[in-house]
Amino acid sequence: MLRVEGRRRQFFAEVSHELRTPVTVIRGESDIALRAGDDPVDLKASLRRISDAAKDLSARVQDLLDAARSGSHDYAFVLAPHSLPALIGPVVAQMQALARYRGIALSLAPVPDCRVVADGERLQQALTTVLDNALRYTPEGGEVRVSALRQRDSVAIQVDDDGPGMSEEDLAHALDPQFRGRAAAAHPSGAGLGLSIADRILQAHGGSIELSPREPRGLRVQLHLPLDTDGA
């Protein structure tokens, strides 16, 4: 019984954590739209990104409703072949508003034209979570870079930031739920759930998440996924 209750608490904490990013994106895009003046192109682009963030918010609320109705306290995954550029591009585009809001340059290198078998929404959720973390810890004026490296039978989605990075001690526990490293002291609003959520999503796809320090500072996060060999 205690185990079930613990899983229930963890699930609702995770979904609640995931509500924050689309809300922040909507707030940032709203500010951009208000400053756009009479430029219809900029205004339309902001409204489109607000609409996308609202869809993400609706999906997270639906997770809560589904859990309340069914009593299941876990994510459902629907796997299908997806183009990797089509998965990564919209996430980076949506997070641009948050990057601008925080004074950070967010860039995306050309993504290899390959396919993965994934739950597209969940995989984008994992990447959004990693990007949110990178933008949270990168100082104003810094840069966050997204790229993808195709390997023999897998692909790694890579996020590099200019934040304080992590010590070896922190890296050993970074994927533990509710773990907050030393750098988190400057960000008291965090819950220490983001990377553990991304890790669970990657594991459900037969993949993994890898963290490593960057020189002279910063953190590299790699999301490793098997390729769709039938459609690659």
Side-chain angles (χ1 to χ4, degrees):
M1 188 68 181
L2 289 176
R3 191 172 167 185
V4 172
E5 176 62 17
R7 184 69 197 97
R8 185 189 72 81
R9 288 177 180 272
Q10 181 183 353
F11 174 78
F12 283 110
E14 289 179 356
V15 175
S16 299
H17 174 274
E18 291 301 292
L19 295 175
R20 298 188 312 172
T21 300
V23 168
T24 304
V25 169
I26 289 171
R27 185 177 62 187
E29 286 290 359
S30 298
D31 288 344
I32 291 171
L34 289 171
R35 293 197 300 267
D38 296 328
D39 188 331
V41 176
D42 288 347
L43 185 59
K44 186 174 182 179
S46 288
L47 291 174
R48 184 180 296 114
R49 288 189 291 266
I50 288 171
S51 177
D52 290 342
K55 290 175 184 175
D56 287 347
L57 184 59
S58 178
R60 302 290 78 77
V61 171
Q62 190 62 51
D63 285 341
L64 289 169
L65 291 174
D66 290 345
R69 289 169 183 156
S70 67
S72 174
H73 304 130
D74 213 338
Y75 298 110
F77 290 87
V78 180
L79 303 179
H82 288 275
S83 160
L84 191 66
L87 286 174
I88 296 176
V91 174
V92 176
Q94 179 175 301
M95 297 299 283
Q96 286 290 354
L98 187 56
R100 288 194 295 270
Y101 187 75
R102 293 176 176 169
I104 298 165
L106 173 59
S107 63
L108 172 62
V111 178
D113 185 15
C114 56
R115 296 170 70 84
V116 295
V117 176
D119 183 314
E121 181 182 308
R122 297 300 180 195
L123 189 56
Q124 288 181 323
Q125 179 185 353
L127 179 56
T128 298
T129 297
V130 171
L131 278 176
D132 186 32
N133 258 22
L135 293 170
R136 185 182 304 275
Y137 287 98
T138 296
E140 185 175 356
E143 186 178 358
V144 172
R145 295 162 293 279
V146 183
S147 58
L149 308 173
R150 181 171 180 169
Q151 295 154 340
R152 189 173 194 178
D153 55 0
S154 65
V155 65
I157 304 170
Q158 185 168 288
V159 177
D160 291 331
D161 69 47
D162 290 342
M166 286 188 176
S167 67
E168 290 295 331
E169 182 181 354
D170 284 351
L171 285 171
H173 300 282
L175 302 181
D176 296 346
Q178 299 182 341
F179 175 78
R180 307 194 71 223
R182 296 175 186 177
H187 303 272
S189 62
L193 292 170
L195 290 176
S196 68
I197 293 171
D199 183 45
R200 288 183 58 219
I201 292 173
L202 265 292
Q203 287 186 35
H205 287 82
S208 62
I209 184 168
E210 180 182 358
L211 283 67
S212 57
R214 296 180 59 249
E215 294 295 339
R217 60 180 282 130
L219 184 69
R220 170 169 291 171
V221 180
Q222 290 185 315
L223 309 180
H224 295 279
L225 286 164
L227 284 172
D228 175 16
T229 53
D230 293 333

